[in-house]
Amino acid sequence: MEPHPLLAGDPAQVGSYRVAGRLGQGGQGVVYLGESAAGERVAIKLLTYAAGEEGRAGFAKEIELARRVKAFCTATVLATGELNGVPYVISEYVDGPSLARVLAERGPLRPAELRRLAIGSLTALTAIHQAGVVHRDLKPGNVLLGRDGPRVIDFGISRALDSSELTGEHLAGTPPYMAPEQFGGAGAGPPADLFAWAATVVCAASGKPPFGSGDLPSVLNRILSAEPDLGDLRGDLRDLVARCLAKDPAARPTAARALLTLLGHPVPPQGLLTEGTKSAAPPAAAPPAVASSPGVPSAGSPSVSHSVPPASGGPSGPSPSTLVPGRRSGRRLALIGTAAVLVAVAGVAVAIKQAGTTVRGATGTGTPGTSIGGTGVPATGAPATAQTGVPSSTPSGAATADEVLPTTSTTTAKVPGTKITLHENPADPVWVNSAYGTVRRGEGSPAYVRDAKTGKFQYFGNFQQPTVSPYGAYVAALSITTLTRTDYNTIRLVTTATGEDVELRTADKPGNTLDARWNADGRHLLMTFSNGRPGSQNTAGFVIVDAATKSVRSRLTPGGRKGGYSWGPDASTLMRQERDGAISFVGLDGTVVRTFRDKGDLMNVGTATVRIGTGTATVFATVCPGTLKGICLWDATTGARRAVIPSDKSTTFNGWLDSEHFLTTVTKAGTTRLVLAGLDGKTKRVLAEGPATELKAVTLWYSRK
């Protein structure tokens, strides 16, 4: 679809995307054609409805649900945010018309097209339902016929955007495609989506929905009491459609069961969405090439989708919304944002419970973020059950060489939903800026990010693992749901000043991008690309994200064990431990700069500039080798041992908080304390405390305010 010229008052830029023209306008927003900095087309919907705070909160919740949907036969939400107080959604641009437009212009689909449509839309519904989302308004206007197969859009968000929400006297949906229970006040659940799917297939085959169209009372009466008109449908598709149009929602199959019926052969659950996507693709369609850097596991640029309803109602009837996109197939390039697992410091914090806690904290010159809690597993053989994360290369990430945390606390704060107490001091240059994890069953896995002005924790999302950059300009979030993805990894990136919320594709599967670590400049994010099963991953490469430009650079590299990558002593150097135990510093091109041997197991907390005696030294930390006991600090340039920090089984080394202190955990009698400790290994101050079971389940991030 070629765009129309922009009008006076139209924006020239939305988020990081240039506005190139108008695609359409509806009662709730304007859809624009946009372009990323890399020239990829996107669709931008600027919402024009008056939502208020409650409506905005609902919109944010529905966007969160949409992000959880796997990208199979759906269109991808690439970014959200506000422009001068007006919410916007940026999505994948699908190069193809809606089913409603095709039916209006050339009539019913041919048999092969119809079957691909049926399989593709069922694949999308399966992905949507697996994420705990209900579409609520599937119809021909919300199915796009892309070059690589059908795409379902507008799922899960219409509740927040649609003024005709079901509130007793209003209906959400398009009547000819609504299930009987929706008219009775029962609302829309997954069975209602199957009813709408069947009605859409009938319309695609015959040009009209199974219960006709026209005035609402007549349509309603036929849906509640008449038999559907299935037209010329034949074979297994006719039988399946008839079952999905049953008046009783309990008699309808699930989307997954219906998809298996059309595929006609057994498919393992983990491969069902992939198989459905393949079967829905036109036979002549070849997957577009995915651009990536040399040696890179496909770091991408955005593509986006749009949906503009036909000028007349068409077969779908009037549409209550013009665009709310969803996710897309993994066969095309997109910016997407969730990640499967979080590597907590030197360990892997995954959805599967492991022993130990996870700690991430900020250091004077080495680690701008540290956390505690979660399910971290030491990956370096360290005695600690909690490790640090987010190393940096300069002092800007946390306390500088002249900034030392006070040894006393003057205030307290509570972590939401827990019994964890934070002991703080207004003079602290670092603090807990995010928290996530599950404490009690049935409460999901809520995540919170701290407001820099008020100090209060604000709900960020569910099944998210957010880390705030030094100085708070960005929030990067990995999502547990990526564990089940089979196509590629993603990271979510929020710009706090503008509210822009994008999802960036990091690296293709198999393998996972783990352990998001901010550089001290607060702009660059490092992740380790690992392969293997959870708990036994091997390092296969790294990914670096430039938060300001939204660019992704990835590189596959040989060597490295499961501890992963951390930032080295400068912004152009990383470090890792090799499979033979050596410790290497590598450039951003993957070339080894220098290697040290016989230094012990690396504490994967990066380098830090610390005060030792009367001077300072930039060091990395290991579990001391041989007969030495404690944590050894080694000069990052020469490899000489500079100090040994005493440690025992009751304390752990979790990374630097300033140039004189590190973060440690101490657990006794069912209580865990986060402690500020000196290089002598002695406690200087308690930073947080709570039940050991809670601090094992909840991850707290420390970083520069």
Side-chain angles (χ1 to χ4, degrees):
M1 174 184 294
E2 290 302 317
H4 300 289
L6 295 175
L7 303 179
D10 283 338
Q13 187 91 6
V14 176
S16 57
Y17 298 90
R18 182 182 71 85
V19 178
R22 280 184 165 231
L23 292 175
Q25 182 172 1
Q28 296 173 329
V30 181
V31 184
Y32 298 99
L33 176 66
E35 289 185 355
S36 71
E40 295 285 347
R41 284 186 162 192
V42 300
I44 304 170
K45 182 173 182 179
L46 196 62
L47 306 175
T48 56
Y49 67 98
E53 289 302 318
E54 184 176 350
R56 292 176 191 274
F59 171 69
K61 183 177 181 180
E62 298 297 340
I63 287 290
E64 178 195 338
L65 290 175
R67 291 186 188 281
R68 287 163 48 185
V69 177
K70 300 171 189 175
F72 293 94
C73 295
T74 59
T76 305
V77 173
L78 303 178
T80 63
E82 289 190 0
L83 179 67
N84 300 323
V86 179
Y88 64 78
V89 179
I90 296 176
S91 68
E92 172 193 7
Y93 181 88
V94 176
D95 189 7
S98 70
L99 173 60
R101 179 177 174 183
V102 169
L103 293 174
E105 292 182 354
R106 71 172 177 88
L109 302 186
R110 293 179 284 271
E113 294 176 315
L114 180 65
R115 193 164 190 88
R116 289 195 295 268
L117 169 80
I119 291 175
S121 50
L122 271 180
T123 300
L125 282 184
T126 301
I128 291 167
H129 292 173
Q130 284 182 359
V133 182
V134 180
H135 191 293
R136 303 175 75 250
D137 195 21
L138 184 64
K139 59 188 177 184
N142 282 339
V143 179
L144 301 181
L145 302 183
R147 294 182 178 180
D148 56 355
R151 304 287 190 86
V152 171
I153 62 170
D154 280 6
F155 58 84
I157 307 176
S158 59
R159 179 165 36 241
L161 302 182
D162 190 356
S163 61
S164 61
E165 169 72 324
L166 185 63
T167 58
E169 60 183 48
H170 297 291
L171 296 171
T174 304
Y177 303 90
M178 292 172 63
E181 62 268 23
Q182 292 178 267
F183 295 100
D193 279 351
L194 271 295
F195 188 97
W197 169 82
T200 298
V201 170
V202 171
C203 189
S206 64
K208 60 182 180 180
F211 299 98
S213 57
D215 61 281
L216 179 58
S218 299
V219 173
L220 172 58
N221 181 62
R222 290 192 292 269
I223 289 175
L224 294 178
S225 59
E227 291 300 314
D229 180 0
L230 302 184
D232 293 331
L233 281 176
R234 295 290 183 267
D236 60 345
L237 185 55
R238 182 184 180 93
D239 293 340
L240 179 60
V241 164
R243 289 167 53 203
C244 291
L245 291 175
K247 308 297 185 190
D248 180 4
R252 300 171 206 148
T254 64
R257 176 56 57 187
L259 178 55
L260 280 170
T261 298
L262 290 188
L263 292 177
H265 60 274
V267 180
Q270 64 270 24
L272 182 58
L273 297 177
T274 300
E275 183 70 13
T277 301
K278 288 170 55 179
S279 298
V290 177
S292 64
S293 303
V296 175
S298 298
S301 302
S303 329
V304 181
S305 99
H306 68 284
S307 165
V308 182
S312 60
S316 67
S319 173
S321 61
T322 54
L323 163 73
V324 184
R327 290 194 182 278
R328 57 174 295 176
S329 166
R331 293 172 298 155
R332 300 185 67 186
L333 196 59
L335 291 177
I336 313 193
T338 43
V341 294
L342 176 77
V343 174
V345 191
V348 181
V350 296
I352 304 170
K353 284 289 181 182
Q354 308 274 4
T357 52
T358 307
V359 178
R360 301 188 180 234
T363 81
T365 57
T367 33
T370 296
S371 76
I372 177 158
T375 52
V377 182
T380 58
T385 55
Q387 305 292 330
T388 358
V390 193
S392 67
S393 58
T394 69
S396 64
T400 67
D402 296 325
E403 290 180 307
V404 177
L405 272 76
T407 55
T408 57
S409 301
T410 59
T411 62
T412 61
K414 288 287 187 180
V415 176
T418 75
K419 296 179 181 179
I420 299 171
T421 300
L422 308 178
H423 299 281
E424 301 179 318
N425 189 315
D428 291 338
V430 298
W431 68 344
V432 174
N433 60 32
S434 66
Y436 54 82
T438 302
V439 175
R440 299 171 184 84
R441 290 185 178 181
E443 295 185 1
S445 182
Y448 300 89
V449 171
R450 207 164 186 184
D451 183 273
K453 295 180 180 179
T454 65
K456 295 182 179 180
F457 288 93
Q458 298 179 338
Y459 178 71
F460 182 81
N462 217 18
F463 301 105
Q464 301 283 313
Q465 298 172 328
T467 61
V468 182
S469 67
Y471 305 103
Y474 305 99
V475 182
L478 301 176
S479 171
I480 295 172
T481 58
T482 305
L483 277 170
T484 60
R485 293 187 72 112
T486 59
D487 46 5
Y488 46 79
N489 295 275
T490 60
I491 184 95
R492 179 181 173 190
L493 184 66
V494 178
T495 304
T496 56
T498 63
E500 184 179 22
D501 190 338
V502 303
E503 295 184 309
L504 306 176
R505 176 172 174 170
T506 54
D508 287 350
K509 299 279 186 148
N512 298 302
T513 46
L514 314 170
D515 197 10
R517 299 165 177 261
W518 285 104
N519 187 272
D521 63 12
R523 169 170 170 163
H524 296 93
L525 190 73
L526 169 68
M527 290 173 285
T528 296
F529 182 67
S530 300
N531 52 35
R533 294 180 177 275
S536 61
Q537 287 95 344
N538 291 313
T539 298
F542 58 85
V543 176
I544 295 177
V545 177
D546 186 318
T549 64
K550 310 298 186 296
S551 61
V552 179
R553 175 167 51 181
S554 307
R555 184 161 293 278
L556 294 176
T557 57
R561 54 197 265 189
K562 62 183 179 181
Y565 283 86
S566 56
W567 290 104
D570 58 68
S572 62
T573 309
L574 309 177
M575 63 183 305
R576 70 183 183 215
Q577 186 152 34
E578 307 292 359
R579 292 186 177 90
D580 63 1
I583 295 171
S584 295
F585 289 83
V586 300
L588 300 187
D589 61 356
T591 303
V592 175
V593 177
R594 57 186 177 275
T595 298
F596 300 118
R597 298 188 180 278
D598 304 319
K599 304 302 181 185
D601 287 327
L602 180 66
M603 305 297 291
N604 202 21
V605 301
T607 60
T609 300
V610 299
R611 295 186 183 278
I612 299 176
T614 58
T616 62
T618 300
V619 299
F620 62 91
T622 70
V623 178
C624 288
T627 59
L628 287 172
K629 301 296 182 182
I631 303 300
C632 284
L633 304 182
W634 308 90
D635 191 287
T637 301
T638 67
R641 192 174 73 240
R642 303 301 302 267
V644 177
I645 301 174
S647 67
D648 55 43
K649 293 183 179 180
S650 66
T651 62
T652 63
F653 179 85
N654 298 313
W656 301 97
L657 287 169
D658 60 33
S659 61
E660 298 180 10
H661 302 103
F662 64 93
L663 183 66
T664 183
T665 57
V666 180
T667 300
K668 293 181 179 179
T671 297
T672 294
R673 292 181 173 86
L674 305 190
V675 170
L676 181 74
L679 297 190
D680 57 3
K682 295 181 180 179
T683 296
K684 309 301 180 183
R685 170 183 158 196
V686 175
L687 299 175
E689 60 184 332
T693 54
E694 291 197 354
L695 277 169
K696 183 178 180 179
V698 175
T699 298
L700 306 178
W701 270 88
Y702 282 85
S703 73
R704 188 65 161 87
K705 289 182 178 178

